[in-house]
Amino acid sequence: MEAVILFSLLIVTIGLSIPIGITLGLSTGIAMWLTSDIPMVMLAQKSVTGLDSFPLLAIPFFILAGALMCNGGISRRLVNLAESLVGYITGGLAMVTVLACLFFAAISGSGPATVSAIGSFMIPSMKERKYDAGFAAAITAAAGTIGVIIPPSIPFVIYCIVAQCSIGDMFIAGIVPGVMFGIALMLVCYCTAKKRHYVSVTERPKFSTVWKAFREAFWALLVPVIILGGIYGGIFTPTEAAVVAVVYSVLIGKFVYKELDGKTLYECLRTTGLINGATEFMIGLSMAFASYLAMAQIPAQIASWMTSLAHSPFILLRVINVFLLVIGCFVDNIAAVIILTPILLPVVKTIGIDPIHFGLIITVNLACGFISPPYGINLFVASAISGESIESISKSILPSFLAMVVCLLLFTYFPVFSLGLLQWLR
């Protein structure tokens, strides 16, 4: 009964477009009042104590670092480097988009930010060179999903806080799946270019050209090296790494690339404050939501029900994948991670799934929702940049979506793709 009431309230309030944070608090409070003798003050206590966490400080700093990098002249230099590496191949301009998104994802930690930063350069360039506008927007939107898979990833940080696992391990585990996504999308670019006869307009560059592009982008490419090297080398924690990333971003944008001024810095701080305020509000109330779930033993009930439906780990993972893909079409990635992690993590633990492995499964499934109507935030960003309708982009994005699902299945059922690098480094 507790589960029925709680999830009915969640579905109704989300359907009414009530903000997710308020939805979590309202549903939890009403369910507690109707089904238990738990004092209502618990809702406020758990919400406040849930935010009293040092790792949570990583979220605003990573958001700020991504905003500073986006506005500090870095995206253009990453595009130039990507073009010097793959621009001469058939479908090279589309591949440049994917590779530039891969580079920028290692800086921004956000899917929509990656689409905005790279798409503003690449979508007009592809249209000028006679690429189909729907395909140009679609491949940019799809490549932008890598922003939440390659570290540093904001959804990874949130998942680890909710699941109480290592952020550093989660970052390392995201590297191989992120690269897999990039390679798969570049194969889509190549096959589409062959089919539609998109001809490369650039010749194979000289080494001097590649070296020059690399030198200009060098300071940007150092960001993931500093973050991951510092975390896994034991030099600083993920939270301290986020602060280092902010300081580094300011120094590079202001004194090396000289494109970060006072007005831009203010806008970055303002944007960070708005995004972080909404995110922290959701996280605080999600802690109260998770506490009520545990007190009412709802995850145990769901685990028992799901394992009765699926008698093998293979089938259970398939059910969870389909469920998450559908949820991703309607609910924001961060909100869904906050809501579903305390429900599904106990379920997958019963079949021996590593929490880090499951963090990748849930994040990537929900990232597919970035390019799935009706939510599809990456589709909306790409549509705004390209001027193409959502319907036109959605038709062109199907090959990219299928390639992403194939990658998802690979590291769902073959943990070596997600945990192999982590185990090797250990």
Side-chain angles (χ1 to χ4, degrees):
M1 180 59 69
E2 292 95 336
V4 170
I5 292 174
L6 179 63
F7 293 126
S8 297
L9 288 167
L10 273 174
I11 292 168
V12 170
T13 49
I14 290 173
L16 292 173
S17 298
I18 295 173
I20 294 295
I22 297 174
T23 290
L24 287 170
L26 191 63
S27 302
T28 304
I30 294 174
M32 283 171 51
W33 179 59
L34 292 175
T35 64
S36 73
D37 296 325
I38 301 171
M40 293 297 290
V41 71
M42 189 278 286
L43 185 64
Q45 288 174 338
K46 293 295 183 181
S47 298
V48 173
T49 56
L51 290 175
D52 186 16
S53 168
F54 181 70
L56 269 179
L57 287 172
I59 295 174
F61 284 113
F62 274 131
I63 294 172
L64 179 57
L68 292 168
M69 289 287 183
C70 185
N71 292 282
I74 285 172
S75 53
R76 186 177 69 257
R77 289 169 175 84
L78 293 176
V79 167
N80 291 340
L81 175 61
E83 186 167 8
S84 71
L85 293 173
V86 297
Y88 62 92
I89 304 172
T90 300
L93 202 59
M95 289 187 185
V96 168
T97 303
V98 175
L99 191 58
C101 286
L102 190 65
F103 289 152
F104 194 79
I107 295 170
S108 71
S110 166
T114 302
V115 176
S116 177
I118 304 302
S120 59
F121 292 100
M122 296 311 303
I123 292 177
S125 297
M126 284 189 278
K127 289 169 70 174
E128 284 176 10
R129 299 185 186 180
K130 309 302 179 185
Y131 279 69
D132 177 74
F135 170 73
I139 196 63
T140 307
T145 60
I146 303 173
V148 297
I149 305 171
I150 289 283
S153 162
I154 294 167
F156 278 177
V157 175
I158 292 171
Y159 169 81
C160 289
I161 289 167
V162 177
Q164 297 184 341
C165 57
S166 168
I167 296 174
D169 287 355
M170 194 78 237
F171 281 0
I172 296 295
I175 294 174
V176 173
V179 173
M180 286 171 60
F181 266 54
I183 293 171
L185 291 175
M186 283 195 276
L187 286 173
V188 170
C189 295
Y190 180 82
C191 294
T192 303
K194 278 285 188 183
K195 181 180 178 181
R196 299 185 182 180
H197 306 291
Y198 295 148
V199 180
S200 174
V201 295
T202 61
E203 298 179 353
R204 183 187 293 268
K206 297 178 181 178
F207 176 78
S208 59
T209 304
V210 178
W211 177 245
K212 180 182 177 183
F214 174 77
R215 279 188 304 157
E216 290 182 350
F218 174 75
W219 296 105
L221 296 174
L222 272 184
V223 175
V225 176
I226 292 171
I227 291 172
L228 295 178
I231 293 172
Y232 224 71
I235 301 171
F236 38 66
T237 67
T239 303
E240 291 164 346
V243 178
V244 170
V246 169
V247 175
Y248 183 83
S249 302
V250 172
L251 294 176
I252 296 305
K254 179 69 175 176
F255 299 108
V256 178
Y257 294 148
K258 299 180 180 179
E259 295 188 22
L260 189 65
D261 55 22
K263 182 180 179 182
T264 304
L265 181 60
Y266 169 78
E267 284 301 318
C268 290
L269 289 167
R270 177 178 171 275
T271 301
T272 300
L274 291 172
I275 296 173
N276 183 63
T279 303
E280 299 282 349
F281 183 71
M282 286 192 291
I283 291 173
L285 287 166
S286 77
M287 298 302 179
F289 173 77
S291 297
Y292 174 70
L293 287 177
M295 291 176 186
Q297 298 185 327
I298 291 174
Q301 298 170 35
I302 294 173
S304 176
W305 173 69
M306 293 187 77
T307 50
S308 69
L309 291 177
H311 300 290
S312 73
F314 182 89
I315 297 174
L316 183 59
L317 284 173
R318 186 169 63 185
V319 170
I320 289 174
N321 272 334
V322 172
F323 171 70
L324 290 172
L325 284 171
V326 173
I327 290 296
C329 295
F330 301 96
V331 182
D332 177 70
N333 185 296
I334 291 175
V337 166
I338 290 171
I339 294 170
L340 297 176
T341 297
I343 298 171
L344 295 178
L345 185 57
V347 176
V348 297
K349 280 184 175 179
T350 63
I351 59 172
I353 299 297
D354 188 284
I356 297 295
H357 185 198
F358 182 66
L360 280 166
I361 293 172
I362 190 171
T363 302
V364 175
N365 267 294
L366 296 171
C368 291
F370 284 164
I371 58 170
S372 305
Y375 175 69
I377 188 169
N378 281 14
L379 296 180
F380 288 103
V381 176
S383 175
I385 295 170
S386 66
E388 291 293 301
S389 67
I390 297 294
E391 293 78 9
S392 171
I393 301 173
S394 298
K395 290 176 183 176
S396 299
I397 211 163
L398 184 59
S400 299
F401 182 81
L402 293 175
M404 292 167 62
V405 170
V406 169
C407 292
L408 170 63
L409 294 175
L410 279 175
F411 69 76
T412 295
Y413 297 113
F414 300 97
V416 66
F417 289 113
S418 53
L419 300 179
L421 180 60
L422 179 60
Q423 292 168 350
W424 180 70
L425 287 172
R426 283 175 174 171

